[in-house]
Amino acid sequence: MKNYVWHKQVIAPDFELINCPDYDPIKDFRRDPTGAYVLIRCDLEQSLIEVAVCDKKHTIVKAFQGRKAQDLYYSIFEYEKKHKQKWFSRKDHAAYLGKELKKCEYALLRKEVYVQE
C-alpha cells in the first residue's frame, strides 16, 4: 500500500483504501425521493448557465442563472435552505448538479454546445 501523506494529517488506525466500482448511469440511477430534478442549459449568446428546478409533476418551480458553477449551486442550496424547500435529499443528486454545472461552465468557456446527461 502507498504511504499516504497529507500536510499534518495522521492516518487513522482503521484507515482503508476503497477501490470504487464503475458507476453505471442506467443501472445505478436513483431518482430523488422528493421527485425534484433539474434542467441545465447554456446560453452561449449571454454566456450564462441556466438551471430550472422541476417538481415531480414536471413543473418548473424556480430558475437560476449565473456564470459559474459554484455561484449557481451555492445560490440554489442557499435558496432551498432559506425557503425550506426539499429539492435535494440525496447526496448523489447534489453531486450530479455540481458535475453537470461544471461541464456546462466549461462548454461556455469553449463556446461549445452542452448536453445534459
Side-chain angles (χ1 to χ4, degrees):
M1 174 170 56
K2 281 185 183 178
N3 184 15
Y4 283 90
V5 178
W6 284 276
H7 182 72
K8 297 184 183 181
Q9 279 69 31
V10 176
I11 301 299
D14 60 345
F15 169 82
E16 178 183 5
L17 176 62
I18 300 167
N19 289 314
C20 301
D22 291 341
Y23 175 82
D24 183 317
I26 304 299
K27 180 182 68 128
D28 298 327
F29 174 77
R30 302 290 180 269
R31 185 173 299 279
D32 197 292
T34 66
Y37 62 94
V38 293
L39 300 173
I40 302 170
R41 67 181 181 189
C42 291
D43 181 338
L44 292 172
E45 290 180 15
Q46 295 185 50
S47 294
L48 290 172
I49 303 168
E50 299 173 333
V51 179
V53 179
C54 302
D55 66 14
K56 61 185 169 188
K57 296 177 184 171
H58 309 291
T59 303
I60 297 173
V61 294
K62 294 289 177 229
F64 298 81
Q65 65 180 17
R67 298 194 187 284
K68 296 187 298 185
Q70 187 171 2
D71 298 342
L72 280 153
Y73 68 70
Y74 180 81
S75 295
I76 291 167
F77 295 147
E78 285 298 306
Y79 183 94
E80 182 186 34
K81 184 169 60 174
K82 181 178 178 183
H83 296 278
K84 296 179 175 53
Q85 299 297 312
K86 300 230 187 262
W87 294 330
F88 302 94
S89 67
R90 294 180 55 100
K91 290 179 183 178
D92 59 335
H93 195 181
Y96 166 82
L97 174 65
K99 176 189 78 152
E100 289 297 311
L101 286 173
K102 200 61 174 175
K103 282 175 39 184
C104 189
E105 182 180 329
Y106 285 143
L108 271 181
L109 290 171
R110 293 188 305 259
K111 304 285 190 221
E112 295 175 354
V113 173
Y114 161 79
V115 177
Q116 182 177 354
E117 272 183 38

